[in-house]
Amino acid sequence: MDRAKLEALLNEVREGSTDVPDALERLRVLPFEDLGFAKLDHHRPLRTGMPEVIFASGKTIEHVTAIFVRMAQAGGNVLATRVSPECAESVLAAESHAVYHQTARCVTLDQTPAPQGKGTVAVVCAGTSDLPIAEEAAVTARLMGNHVELIADVGVAGIHRLLAQRNSLQTARVLIVCAGMEGALPTVVGGLVNAPVIAVPTSIGYGASLGGIAALLGMLNTCSPNVCVVNIDNGFGAACIASLINHQ
Amino acid sequence: MDRAKLEALLNEVREGSTDVPDALERLRVLPFEDLGFAKLDHHRPLRTGMPEVIFASGKTIEHVTAIFVRMAQAGGNVLATRVSPECAESVLAAESHAVYHQTARCVTLDQTPAPQGKGTVAVVCAGTSDLPIAEEAAVTARLMGNHVELIADVGVAGIHRLLAQRNSLQTARVLIVCAGMEGALPTVVGGLVNAPVIAVPTSIGYGASLGGIAALLGMLNTCSPNVCVVNIDNGFGAACIASLINHQ
Amino acid sequence: MDRAKLEALLNEVREGSTDVPDALERLRVLPFEDLGFAKLDHHRPLRTGMPEVIFASGKTIEHVTAIFVRMAQAGGNVLATRVSPECAESVLAAESHAVYHQTARCVTLDQTPAPQGKGTVAVVCAGTSDLPIAEEAAVTARLMGNHVELIADVGVAGIHRLLAQRNSLQTARVLIVCAGMEGALPTVVGGLVNAPVIAVPTSIGYGASLGGIAALLGMLNTCSPNVCVVNIDNGFGAACIASLINHQ
Amino acid sequence: MDRAKLEALLNEVREGSTDVPDALERLRVLPFEDLGFAKLDHHRPLRTGMPEVIFASGKTIEHVTAIFVRMAQAGGNVLATRVSPECAESVLAAESHAVYHQTARCVTLDQTPAPQGKGTVAVVCAGTSDLPIAEEAAVTARLMGNHVELIADVGVAGIHRLLAQRNSLQTARVLIVCAGMEGALPTVVGGLVNAPVIAVPTSIGYGASLGGIAALLGMLNTCSPNVCVVNIDNGFGAACIASLINHQ
Amino acid sequence: MDRAKLEALLNEVREGSTDVPDALERLRVLPFEDLGFAKLDHHRPLRTGMPEVIFASGKTIEHVTAIFVRMAQAGGNVLATRVSPECAESVLAAESHAVYHQTARCVTLDQTPAPQGKGTVAVVCAGTSDLPIAEEAAVTARLMGNHVELIADVGVAGIHRLLAQRNSLQTARVLIVCAGMEGALPTVVGGLVNAPVIAVPTSIGYGASLGGIAALLGMLNTCSPNVCVVNIDNGFGAACIASLINHQ
Amino acid sequence: MDRAKLEALLNEVREGSTDVPDALERLRVLPFEDLGFAKLDHHRPLRTGMPEVIFASGKTIEHVTAIFVRMAQAGGNVLATRVSPECAESVLAAESHAVYHQTARCVTLDQTPAPQGKGTVAVVCAGTSDLPIAEEAAVTARLMGNHVELIADVGVAGIHRLLAQRNSLQTARVLIVCAGMEGALPTVVGGLVNAPVIAVPTSIGYGASLGGIAALLGMLNTCSPNVCVVNIDNGFGAACIASLINHQ
Amino acid sequence: MDRAKLEALLNEVREGSTDVPDALERLRVLPFEDLGFAKLDHHRPLRTGMPEVIFASGKTIEHVTAIFVRMAQAGGNVLATRVSPECAESVLAAESHAVYHQTARCVTLDQTPAPQGKGTVAVVCAGTSDLPIAEEAAVTARLMGNHVELIADVGVAGIHRLLAQRNSLQTARVLIVCAGMEGALPTVVGGLVNAPVIAVPTSIGYGASLGGIAALLGMLNTCSPNVCVVNIDNGFGAACIASLINHQ
Amino acid sequence: MDRAKLEALLNEVREGSTDVPDALERLRVLPFEDLGFAKLDHHRPLRTGMPEVIFASGKTIEHVTAIFVRMAQAGGNVLATRVSPECAESVLAAESHAVYHQTARCVTLDQTPAPQGKGTVAVVCAGTSDLPIAEEAAVTARLMGNHVELIADVGVAGIHRLLAQRNSLQTARVLIVCAGMEGALPTVVGGLVNAPVIAVPTSIGYGASLGGIAALLGMLNTCSPNVCVVNIDNGFGAACIASLINHQ
């Protein structure tokens, strides 16, 4: 039963051709989503600056390109993550305003200015190996309307390099901290700042890193109470949460 | 070298009794925390409303009581978590203004009004088994100066009960969602709201729940991009992050 | 907005005090569960013979007794699982018509005849160690209105004992097969029958049984395509599904 | 010893050429399966509409093609699962009436009408990534003589889309619910319906999804008592059980 | 249908009161174990010297005592494993000829001389902590009619002590090697002998021993090709296999 | 100090040029392996029929070929396992008497008749997928001088096929049972025979089979006390143990 | 063959009653350990200051006391670890010079001055919960003749407290770093010093700490190349290695 | 604020243009690393002989080559690990003095003589499969200024080969022991020597070796108290620690 049918029913009640108990019964069983709730969902991305997103991993180049184009036509911003160079080439050929961020493995199309967040989102990582995940977070957060500061090469085995960035860390409104191997960086950063830290374990490492499980467990067991965690390599998700916090 | 010594050194420089190269050398090797950084740490709890905390599990009753009293004398708020009834009795005998929250297994002493957060922190859980963790989060968040709304008995196997709370969920500024067993509740809640969701897996369950690991994995693999996760049964940590977000 | 309010709204429409667009808007945003859907939920147990259930493990004796009594007053059947002898004594003192099934560790109150299922539910297990779980399944299925045949002591290491029960197995409409250790019994039974087999891994075993995980994995990897699996020691859940199938 | 030999033995007894003790001894040691039990097995597929099945993964194209052709000649229905496009091409070249279902990665040959089940089998999945497994279940169930309704794109992070399908869900006689990542969909569906739900965890996901283990654990820990589980990506097995239930 | 009934049936055939087709049909459906196969099972323990066995862990003292007495009355040997001192006291009170082996935690009743094996079964372990499992194996093997040589205190961290036992090791017909912690002993022993080695991982250890899983994995990955493995702490099972080999 | 030096030392003692205390001291510190123990090792393969073995997996074709040729020149039997068809081609080109066993993925060179074992080694497996491992065991056992009977296609989901092989199973002196997926076959076979059963878990399966871990755990938790276990896919090792037992 | 027999043999050679070839043959097969190698082992503890050690966990009080007394009589130093207060009381009653270290749960008897190490062994831990393990390491190292400096309360979440100890850390010759939860401390310390760091994961934590596995994995994945790891809670082992390094 | 700025500030204080409170404030907030601490870090490699290191795995050939050249220009020694032959070819083309160690998969450039360690570093491994990791350790240790003795082919299944190397083992100042499969070698070596043993689990093995986890667990559970462990396949890390110990 869509809005038209609901309107008709109410008119029948008004005109007396359907009495109240019958109307009650028909209303009781109608599925709520036909009342228009779903539309709110469609409006939400535009209101909040959250782009349409394609997780490209495991999809064919043709498939990714086609979805990207269709989403672009809807007028909002579009983000594709985990995009190989070959796939990016195809998307950019079809959508000339799109941009490929090679390290982040992301393609973005920025055609609707997102509302700007209130502070800075700091994206922190230890070394060059974690950069793809950190850049994925940074690209995502920027497209969602956040000022982003990327702080790399600050691993805990050389703590003075991290401490040298103390000012940048302490002025951020929310921090995303990516780390593989032992995953200790978010805990140390969490102890230096008074803001929420979103920890992203990365799959960087070998042997007992178990594909990022070691870093994940380390972050979940953090002794800094301002740290929470997302899935391994999930730079995108960390940026979503950070952006939400930064726009409140 | 504390502030007094540093002041003395600078005075010596000013007066010429120590020359600049000597002063440089002495400054180069002095540990930075003696410059006063550590004091910031001591001031931080009072500024932010974050209480002094005791994790009582594994400590003797005498130990918990003694620490609680010492912290209370510092004048700030005090929180003890995982407190057995016997231990609580001892603490309350020593500190008559302290309060025991039985379901939450927490003792609080609220002697310094914490700055009030901007919105509501919703604490959501499925059933009565998850209540101790949810209450730990609620008690902690309230002591940190947040208005808390506790929404229980809204498990995903009876989705209409959750949907009935849609208004409460959607008006919260940040949500803490506790769930054991399959841990699906944060994902469903995350799809209903436009705010950050802190997911707390609980150790409730048996067999393949693996002491909360099943719920933890479920939450990390959420398909709602506004969900982040803390350790199993870590209601306290979830409240810390939620409070930080709610005070920004 | 409950039914009374909805009726009032419709009356306003009928009387013209509220016009159709306004009514449409108010209906659009009202939560669907206030339309009475939740009541269906309350009726469902009575219609289907599914009892109210208490998982007693981890609850105090007082708590279990109180819930049991309250549920009993609602007039339907009541089932409490994982009940210790001490707890059962308390429940039976409060509810004299209740029955304690010692091996199954269940208390039942049967005050509403459940609709009878169409065939037999066979509950099969290997040895005496698996009996508590098998009996939990049998007691649950009987309370839900099923004829149950319990077949014990038919482990796969003495296959002739199982084959001697072939007739009973092959005439069952649905089978529940409980097994610990290597968990091979459901697969062998599945190969002998042409009916759905609900496999219940039990936590019986030691060392590499990993608390039932070995049996669980064995059952999930079954090469009999008519076998599905529930959680370790979940005799209750197996009976629920079996009863549903047996009542169709 | 087959039936002919057994008949001969009994005739010898009748005629006195073998005395009873000798006959007893010879009967005591004869393997029971020679008494004809095995034949029942061969008749079963034709009676029940269960096709002959080839699990193509890990077999060479030549091997799959040869088995398929040999099975086809037996006159029953044939199903090959996990078939690559190249392999399907080879099978269809050899067996012109066979059909390739690309998303499901299945080849079917439908030459014997299977008895029709009594109701509808609903196959539900969250997103496009789970479609191959859902389609495998749907293709299998259809070949076994079931009316199948496929309901896709109803993930729990957008619960209104699932609720919009409530009617379809509630009229199904048995449901197959496929989900990767957090695996919450079967629990939510299980709470909406009064029929058995066969949950199929899929290997869709990354990081902490552990190749489908997270979804599997989530489903085993479901709080909906009408949910049972099969192996990861086992759409075929789920369809077998669903078909058995639907034909009772 | 037991032997008597089968004899009666054959007599009916002989006498013509039952014709061959009827007899055929009745024979076709009778369960094979009624033909006397099951009796073989009862005879087997006496023939092979394998005792009746009770796994006492998890059973009540009364239960163990009652089973032990009933088995004793059958006239064969009886073995109870994992018996606490309290339980042993009860069994010995009821069965005065039974013997308690304290370190092995076994009670034996030896009333039927078992056929003697051909060689020696060596039972080897590293330290005093593994002795209970090693003794369980030794007691079991002796009751089954094997000459047993127990070699303790020969851990791989002091390899000269093991080498000093080279003669005993090399003259054994089969070896049982128990080890916890890193589980390396069976591999080293396997390299010194030319006989089968049954490796028994024990749950001795802490931390990363994971309750014996570390030792189990070590033994499964042995580079000595004459080593096979049983479950953690399964001294009884190791003795059964060793005895079978020693009696061939 | 080799044999020559030792002989010289003894001659010095005899001639009096070295006194006994000096000789004692020099003997005390000389490494025992120089006394010739290592040579025993070289003789052992020839005495026992155990071939020289190459584990080809992970080695280059050139490497495998070169080792094979060198071993062949030593005059004993040679076995290479896990050999790809390309590698086998290279080996056979270099060693024309060698034989490639395609399903078993083994190359053998049989130039020294091994002493014949006393009975039959039965190699049992469920389906065609487990055949490579079963054949590896069979080829190895044959080269070591055993009569081997291979029994395939006897999975536990069709128990009558296994029972039809009861005679072959019960006359074997030792059995090797290979199974993937749920790994139940060794337990069922173990219950049918009175001989040692070497269980070989295979990596056949998907999802929750975890690369053979499910089968491995199932076998370790067997309730048949005559079953022991080797590493996943280790057909070679199983044959070594079986051959040792069969030659005693 | 012990030293006496060897001497006799050499005398026979000298006297000509045994010729050289016979002597050669008898020497070739004699087990090397009878040549006196084992005695070196007995001397080693006295030479190196390594005490005799008792792992008291799982032993009875009587057993621990008896072993302690026997070891004490040998004249060297004695160490018992994991000693409960009740057990310590018994040991001290029997051996009045022994000392109980309550936090470390160790009893020591220091009756032979151990050779002093060359530098300081720093034992570092984060909080009070890790103290028992840190103290076990400190007590062990001191008994082995090392100057020990214990540095507690320097968790990575408050990095300034650790940096304040930089001088102590940097002057140590070897460091033992104990940490539970996320186990990040050894990595951070490793980055601050130029000496070997022995990391000891502790079982402190809950939920996803998995009894110390999270800390263990974190330490194994350290990005500081001067960190190596011992078993969970193995303070004793860490001290042994540290002492070896400090005495070189 | 670097040293120059600090000097300027002190001069301002001396001259009175900045008063003490202002200077205090500016000093309080300046990052400590600007005081010169970071420089120590840059000097450290040259002082200690620790080379600059590139972990080539996962980097492009161009990337590795560029980094190598840049590091070479700094004048110190350079080490690249996990280098494929193709990558090595590129590096050597750009840096003609570099050397490729094929088995070790390392490229070294030795242009600064490292200070020589005091004793020998023994690198021990079982078979040819572990050689790449053992060689990585050996190459690394040599570049860091250590005399290295490589001892291969001494697996524990042939213990006499290991004992034949007793002298070499016992004269080493520190030992690196690499082993895959069951990982028992470090424990046996640890029992033979009185020096620190760095155990390196390798990923060699199949099935239950779990990619090296079995060896890792075995080593962590060692009963030799002089063994510590690094990550799976981490030959480089083991050499760093060994070199540190050898240079003390």
Side-chain angles (χ1 to χ4, degrees), chain E residues 216-236:
Chain E
L216 170 62
L217 290 176
M219 294 173 181
L220 288 166
N221 285 285
T222 180
C223 44
S224 291
N226 52 345
V227 174
C228 61
V229 188
V230 296
N231 196 1
I232 298 165
D233 289 338
N234 189 9
F236 164 73

PDB file of all heavy atoms in Angstrom, chain E residues 216-236:
ATOM      1  N   LEU E 216      50.269 -31.250  21.007  1.00  0.00           N
ATOM      2  CA  LEU E 216      49.556 -32.011  19.974  1.00  0.00           C
ATOM      3  C   LEU E 216      50.024 -31.603  18.584  1.00  0.00           C
ATOM      4  O   LEU E 216      50.363 -32.454  17.741  1.00  0.00           O
ATOM      5  CB  LEU E 216      48.049 -31.763  20.120  1.00  0.00           C
ATOM      6  CG  LEU E 216      47.159 -32.280  19.001  1.00  0.00           C
ATOM      7  CD1 LEU E 216      47.246 -33.788  18.878  1.00  0.00           C
ATOM      8  CD2 LEU E 216      45.707 -31.861  19.229  1.00  0.00           C
ATOM      9  N   LEU E 217      50.093 -30.299  18.332  1.00  0.00           N
ATOM     10  CA  LEU E 217      50.524 -29.829  17.011  1.00  0.00           C
ATOM     11  C   LEU E 217      51.966 -30.258  16.742  1.00  0.00           C
ATOM     12  O   LEU E 217      52.306 -30.671  15.641  1.00  0.00           O
ATOM     13  CB  LEU E 217      50.391 -28.302  16.927  1.00  0.00           C
ATOM     14  CG  LEU E 217      48.958 -27.776  16.898  1.00  0.00           C
ATOM     15  CD1 LEU E 217      48.962 -26.248  16.913  1.00  0.00           C
ATOM     16  CD2 LEU E 217      48.227 -28.276  15.659  1.00  0.00           C
ATOM     17  N   GLY E 218      52.803 -30.126  17.764  1.00  0.00           N
ATOM     18  CA  GLY E 218      54.191 -30.542  17.591  1.00  0.00           C
ATOM     19  C   GLY E 218      54.280 -31.997  17.156  1.00  0.00           C
ATOM     20  O   GLY E 218      55.033 -32.335  16.237  1.00  0.00           O
ATOM     21  N   MET E 219      53.523 -32.856  17.787  1.00  0.00           N
ATOM     22  CA  MET E 219      53.590 -34.282  17.476  1.00  0.00           C
ATOM     23  C   MET E 219      53.038 -34.587  16.083  1.00  0.00           C
ATOM     24  O   MET E 219      53.569 -35.429  15.366  1.00  0.00           O
ATOM     25  CB  MET E 219      52.833 -35.068  18.546  1.00  0.00           C
ATOM     26  CG  MET E 219      53.504 -34.976  19.919  1.00  0.00           C
ATOM     27  SD  MET E 219      52.491 -35.741  21.215  1.00  0.00           S
ATOM     28  CE  MET E 219      53.539 -35.428  22.661  1.00  0.00           C
ATOM     29  N   LEU E 220      51.977 -33.895  15.702  1.00  0.00           N
ATOM     30  CA  LEU E 220      51.411 -34.113  14.364  1.00  0.00           C
ATOM     31  C   LEU E 220      52.393 -33.679  13.280  1.00  0.00           C
ATOM     32  O   LEU E 220      52.380 -34.205  12.171  1.00  0.00           O
ATOM     33  CB  LEU E 220      50.098 -33.341  14.214  1.00  0.00           C
ATOM     34  CG  LEU E 220      48.916 -33.908  14.997  1.00  0.00           C
ATOM     35  CD1 LEU E 220      47.772 -32.894  15.048  1.00  0.00           C
ATOM     36  CD2 LEU E 220      48.420 -35.207  14.360  1.00  0.00           C
ATOM     37  N   ASN E 221      53.245 -32.723  13.587  1.00  0.00           N
ATOM     38  CA  ASN E 221      54.215 -32.219  12.617  1.00  0.00           C
ATOM     39  C   ASN E 221      55.569 -32.889  12.753  1.00  0.00           C
ATOM     40  O   ASN E 221      56.569 -32.384  12.248  1.00  0.00           O
ATOM     41  CB  ASN E 221      54.377 -30.706  12.788  1.00  0.00           C
ATOM     42  CG  ASN E 221      53.203 -29.946  12.233  1.00  0.00           C
ATOM     43  OD1 ASN E 221      53.075 -29.812  11.025  1.00  0.00           O
ATOM     44  ND2 ASN E 221      52.319 -29.487  13.101  1.00  0.00           N
ATOM     45  N   THR E 222      55.609 -34.012  13.390  1.00  0.00           N
ATOM     46  CA  THR E 222      56.858 -34.710  13.617  1.00  0.00           C
ATOM     47  C   THR E 222      57.599 -34.977  12.299  1.00  0.00           C
ATOM     48  O   THR E 222      56.984 -35.230  11.274  1.00  0.00           O
ATOM     49  CB  THR E 222      56.602 -36.064  14.296  1.00  0.00           C
ATOM     50  OG1 THR E 222      57.847 -36.713  14.492  1.00  0.00           O
ATOM     51  CG2 THR E 222      55.703 -36.957  13.455  1.00  0.00           C
ATOM     52  N   CYS E 223      58.902 -34.922  12.332  1.00  0.00           N
ATOM     53  CA  CYS E 223      59.646 -35.331  11.139  1.00  0.00           C
ATOM     54  C   CYS E 223      60.144 -36.782  11.259  1.00  0.00           C
ATOM     55  O   CYS E 223      60.886 -37.238  10.393  1.00  0.00           O
ATOM     56  CB  CYS E 223      60.780 -34.358  10.821  1.00  0.00           C
ATOM     57  SG  CYS E 223      61.721 -33.840  12.237  1.00  0.00           S
ATOM     58  N   SER E 224      59.715 -37.505  12.269  1.00  0.00           N
ATOM     59  CA  SER E 224      59.991 -38.943  12.342  1.00  0.00           C
ATOM     60  C   SER E 224      58.799 -39.696  11.762  1.00  0.00           C
ATOM     61  O   SER E 224      57.692 -39.584  12.286  1.00  0.00           O
ATOM     62  CB  SER E 224      60.203 -39.371  13.804  1.00  0.00           C
ATOM     63  OG  SER E 224      61.393 -38.841  14.315  1.00  0.00           O
ATOM     64  N   PRO E 225      59.003 -40.473  10.695  1.00  0.00           N
ATOM     65  CA  PRO E 225      57.841 -41.058  10.015  1.00  0.00           C
ATOM     66  C   PRO E 225      57.237 -42.256  10.734  1.00  0.00           C
ATOM     67  O   PRO E 225      56.316 -42.863  10.194  1.00  0.00           O
ATOM     68  CB  PRO E 225      58.401 -41.467   8.654  1.00  0.00           C
ATOM     69  CG  PRO E 225      59.847 -41.670   8.883  1.00  0.00           C
ATOM     70  CD  PRO E 225      60.260 -40.768  10.007  1.00  0.00           C
ATOM     71  N   ASN E 226      57.704 -42.618  11.888  1.00  0.00           N
ATOM     72  CA  ASN E 226      57.116 -43.742  12.612  1.00  0.00           C
ATOM     73  C   ASN E 226      56.314 -43.302  13.836  1.00  0.00           C
ATOM     74  O   ASN E 226      56.098 -44.070  14.760  1.00  0.00           O
ATOM     75  CB  ASN E 226      58.208 -44.742  13.031  1.00  0.00           C
ATOM     76  CG  ASN E 226      59.348 -44.049  13.766  1.00  0.00           C
ATOM     77  OD1 ASN E 226      59.471 -42.826  13.729  1.00  0.00           O
ATOM     78  ND2 ASN E 226      60.163 -44.831  14.437  1.00  0.00           N
ATOM     79  N   VAL E 227      55.841 -42.048  13.813  1.00  0.00           N
ATOM     80  CA  VAL E 227      55.098 -41.512  14.945  1.00  0.00           C
ATOM     81  C   VAL E 227      53.643 -41.258  14.562  1.00  0.00           C
ATOM     82  O   VAL E 227      53.387 -40.628  13.539  1.00  0.00           O
ATOM     83  CB  VAL E 227      55.729 -40.184  15.437  1.00  0.00           C
ATOM     84  CG1 VAL E 227      54.877 -39.545  16.522  1.00  0.00           C
ATOM     85  CG2 VAL E 227      57.138 -40.416  15.939  1.00  0.00           C
ATOM     86  N   CYS E 228      52.706 -41.752  15.358  1.00  0.00           N
ATOM     87  CA  CYS E 228      51.309 -41.359  15.202  1.00  0.00           C
ATOM     88  C   CYS E 228      50.801 -40.863  16.549  1.00  0.00           C
ATOM     89  O   CYS E 228      51.460 -41.026  17.565  1.00  0.00           O
ATOM     90  CB  CYS E 228      50.448 -42.476  14.656  1.00  0.00           C
ATOM     91  SG  CYS E 228      50.404 -43.917  15.706  1.00  0.00           S
ATOM     92  N   VAL E 229      49.632 -40.230  16.560  1.00  0.00           N
ATOM     93  CA  VAL E 229      49.221 -39.412  17.693  1.00  0.00           C
ATOM     94  C   VAL E 229      47.809 -39.774  18.143  1.00  0.00           C
ATOM     95  O   VAL E 229      46.972 -40.150  17.319  1.00  0.00           O
ATOM     96  CB  VAL E 229      49.266 -37.917  17.292  1.00  0.00           C
ATOM     97  CG1 VAL E 229      49.035 -37.008  18.495  1.00  0.00           C
ATOM     98  CG2 VAL E 229      50.587 -37.565  16.623  1.00  0.00           C
ATOM     99  N   VAL E 230      47.551 -39.658  19.443  1.00  0.00           N
ATOM    100  CA  VAL E 230      46.192 -39.782  19.973  1.00  0.00           C
ATOM    101  C   VAL E 230      45.812 -38.478  20.671  1.00  0.00           C
ATOM    102  O   VAL E 230      46.603 -37.538  20.721  1.00  0.00           O
ATOM    103  CB  VAL E 230      46.072 -40.978  20.951  1.00  0.00           C
ATOM    104  CG1 VAL E 230      46.330 -42.306  20.235  1.00  0.00           C
ATOM    105  CG2 VAL E 230      47.009 -40.810  22.137  1.00  0.00           C
ATOM    106  N   ASN E 231      44.622 -38.417  21.196  1.00  0.00           N
ATOM    107  CA  ASN E 231      44.115 -37.187  21.820  1.00  0.00           C
ATOM    108  C   ASN E 231      44.950 -36.804  23.063  1.00  0.00           C
ATOM    109  O   ASN E 231      45.636 -37.639  23.649  1.00  0.00           O
ATOM    110  CB  ASN E 231      42.643 -37.387  22.214  1.00  0.00           C
ATOM    111  CG  ASN E 231      41.928 -36.070  22.508  1.00  0.00           C
ATOM    112  OD1 ASN E 231      42.519 -34.989  22.397  1.00  0.00           O
ATOM    113  ND2 ASN E 231      40.669 -36.150  22.874  1.00  0.00           N
ATOM    114  N   ILE E 232      44.853 -35.551  23.428  1.00  0.00           N
ATOM    115  CA  ILE E 232      45.538 -35.018  24.603  1.00  0.00           C
ATOM    116  C   ILE E 232      45.164 -35.818  25.853  1.00  0.00           C
ATOM    117  O   ILE E 232      43.983 -36.055  26.099  1.00  0.00           O
ATOM    118  CB  ILE E 232      45.163 -33.526  24.774  1.00  0.00           C
ATOM    119  CG1 ILE E 232      45.636 -32.712  23.566  1.00  0.00           C
ATOM    120  CG2 ILE E 232      45.714 -32.963  26.061  1.00  0.00           C
ATOM    121  CD1 ILE E 232      45.012 -31.338  23.462  1.00  0.00           C
ATOM    122  N   ASP E 233      46.148 -36.248  26.608  1.00  0.00           N
ATOM    123  CA  ASP E 233      45.966 -36.975  27.877  1.00  0.00           C
ATOM    124  C   ASP E 233      45.354 -38.366  27.703  1.00  0.00           C
ATOM    125  O   ASP E 233      44.938 -38.985  28.677  1.00  0.00           O
ATOM    126  CB  ASP E 233      45.074 -36.175  28.868  1.00  0.00           C
ATOM    127  CG  ASP E 233      45.791 -34.947  29.417  1.00  0.00           C
ATOM    128  OD1 ASP E 233      47.031 -34.929  29.394  1.00  0.00           O
ATOM    129  OD2 ASP E 233      45.118 -34.021  29.868  1.00  0.00           O
ATOM    130  N   ASN E 234      45.323 -38.879  26.479  1.00  0.00           N
ATOM    131  CA  ASN E 234      44.649 -40.161  26.230  1.00  0.00           C
ATOM    132  C   ASN E 234      45.616 -41.337  26.366  1.00  0.00           C
ATOM    133  O   ASN E 234      45.914 -42.068  25.409  1.00  0.00           O
ATOM    134  CB  ASN E 234      44.010 -40.141  24.836  1.00  0.00           C
ATOM    135  CG  ASN E 234      43.122 -41.344  24.609  1.00  0.00           C
ATOM    136  OD1 ASN E 234      42.845 -42.111  25.527  1.00  0.00           O
ATOM    137  ND2 ASN E 234      42.677 -41.511  23.374  1.00  0.00           N
ATOM    138  N   GLY E 235      46.122 -41.532  27.593  1.00  0.00           N
ATOM    139  CA  GLY E 235      47.013 -42.658  27.853  1.00  0.00           C
ATOM    140  C   GLY E 235      46.322 -43.988  27.608  1.00  0.00           C
ATOM    141  O   GLY E 235      46.936 -44.937  27.109  1.00  0.00           O
ATOM    142  N   PHE E 236      45.046 -44.064  27.946  1.00  0.00           N
ATOM    143  CA  PHE E 236      44.282 -45.281  27.752  1.00  0.00           C
ATOM    144  C   PHE E 236      44.260 -45.699  26.277  1.00  0.00           C
ATOM    145  O   PHE E 236      44.567 -46.841  25.924  1.00  0.00           O
ATOM    146  CB  PHE E 236      42.848 -45.073  28.270  1.00  0.00           C
ATOM    147  CG  PHE E 236      41.888 -46.111  27.794  1.00  0.00           C
ATOM    148  CD1 PHE E 236      41.930 -47.399  28.295  1.00  0.00           C
ATOM    149  CD2 PHE E 236      40.950 -45.811  26.810  1.00  0.00           C
ATOM    150  CE1 PHE E 236      41.045 -48.373  27.847  1.00  0.00           C
ATOM    151  CE2 PHE E 236      40.070 -46.776  26.349  1.00  0.00           C
ATOM    152  CZ  PHE E 236      40.128 -48.056  26.865  1.00  0.00           C
TER     153      PHE E 236
END
